Amino acid sequence: MRPLLLFAHTRRHPSAILFLVQLVGMLAYPFIEGTPAGQVGFNVFGIVVLAFTIRMVRRTPGEVGVSLALAVPIIGLLLAQILFGMRELLAWSSGLEALFYFYAAGSLIAYMMDDELATTDELFAAGATFTLIAWGFTHLYVLLQEVHPGTFAAAINAAAPRTWTELNYLSFALLSSTGIGDVIPLTVHARALASVEMLIGLMYLAVVVARLIAFTTRNRIAVGRARKRRMEDWERD
């Protein structure tokens, strides 16, 4: 019975499940990305995230066909890296993954802005969208690093290539406007991309999240007023 209830919950709140899967990935990646087997697991988990994201897009105004058109070559490139160790395909898969996550984020934003109600799933969608945008920029940073080695530096092992986790940390720091931290973009292209991410983060918080908060507050006020009117009617009766 419990598995059936859990499955029904995932159908009602796909954004929550996607958000949870993304958080699990961010916590697990630091433990596995430093080994060859971990790299395989990293790519396999990436395919899992793609599947959950496509499922989520079905609930939004976005086109599932577009998501599938991006996901199929991504899966092929990731499988080639898993089975044949073709690291030279990393730049291509990262670029396509960035497009995929940005499209999914745009679909979620359209879903949240589609009406003037703030449902539970839409509140989870706000977190999932933020993470999707951060992951999209992370893959763009991976692409830049593959095309131009030495694009990023850090306080420790400054000359070494930055890992996905380090670039993901940079992406979240920029998107949330909390600062760059110890990972620093060095080239003009990386700094331009970082500037765009900071702007998008500010706009997302100021427009989308603020709108959801306003709808949530308004709905609670309306419910409170309706409850008060019912109490007053009951007292008069």
Side-chain angles (χ1 to χ4, degrees):
M1 182 63 67
R2 288 184 178 180
L4 292 176
L5 291 175
L6 179 61
F7 179 74
H9 183 75
T10 63
R11 295 187 63 181
R12 288 196 301 269
H13 304 298
S15 300
I17 301 304
L18 174 62
F19 188 37
L20 177 62
V21 170
Q22 291 172 309
L23 292 179
V24 169
M26 288 189 294
L27 294 174
Y29 283 169
F31 296 98
I32 65 175
E33 65 181 352
T35 63
Q39 190 61 42
V40 172
F42 180 91
N43 289 334
V44 170
F45 193 85
I47 295 174
V48 172
V49 174
L50 291 177
F52 276 102
T53 306
I54 292 172
R55 183 184 180 189
M56 177 276 305
V57 170
R58 293 176 57 189
R59 293 281 298 272
T60 73
E63 295 291 337
V64 177
V66 176
S67 296
L68 288 173
L70 291 170
V72 170
I74 291 171
I75 293 173
L77 291 170
L78 292 177
L79 288 176
Q81 295 174 57
I82 293 171
L83 299 175
F84 307 108
M86 302 175 66
R87 182 178 171 79
E88 62 273 15
L89 297 178
L90 178 59
W92 290 96
S93 63
S94 295
L96 287 175
E97 284 186 85
L99 290 176
F100 177 87
Y101 289 128
F102 287 143
Y103 182 78
S107 299
L108 268 180
I109 291 174
Y111 166 60
M112 291 184 287
M113 304 285 280
D114 192 44
D115 53 40
E116 296 186 356
L117 295 175
T119 64
T120 301
D121 190 62
E122 287 179 349
L123 295 177
F124 282 116
T129 302
F130 190 87
T131 307
L132 286 171
I133 296 172
W135 279 33
F137 276 100
T138 299
H139 285 288
L140 286 182
Y141 295 146
V142 172
L143 170 61
L144 275 179
Q145 183 171 247
E146 288 296 307
V147 175
H148 297 292
T151 299
F152 300 94
I156 301 176
N157 298 325
R162 308 272 64 88
T163 65
W164 189 93
T165 300
E166 289 178 305
L167 295 176
N168 188 242
Y169 167 75
L170 170 67
S171 182
F172 271 93
L174 294 172
L175 192 62
S176 60
S177 298
T178 57
I180 292 180
D182 62 343
V183 181
I184 304 172
L186 299 179
T187 66
V188 292
H189 301 92
R191 289 176 178 175
L193 189 58
S195 300
V196 171
E197 183 172 13
M198 286 186 278
L199 176 61
I200 289 177
L202 287 173
M203 294 298 295
Y204 177 74
L205 294 174
V207 177
V208 179
V209 176
R211 188 172 186 266
L212 281 179
I213 293 174
F215 288 158
T216 302
T217 303
R218 188 180 67 181
N219 292 342
R220 289 182 177 179
I221 292 174
V223 170
R225 288 176 176 173
R227 184 181 296 115
K228 183 178 180 180
R229 285 196 296 269
R230 287 197 300 269
M231 290 296 295
E232 292 174 348
D233 294 339
W234 180 79
E235 290 175 354
R236 284 196 295 268
D237 294 340

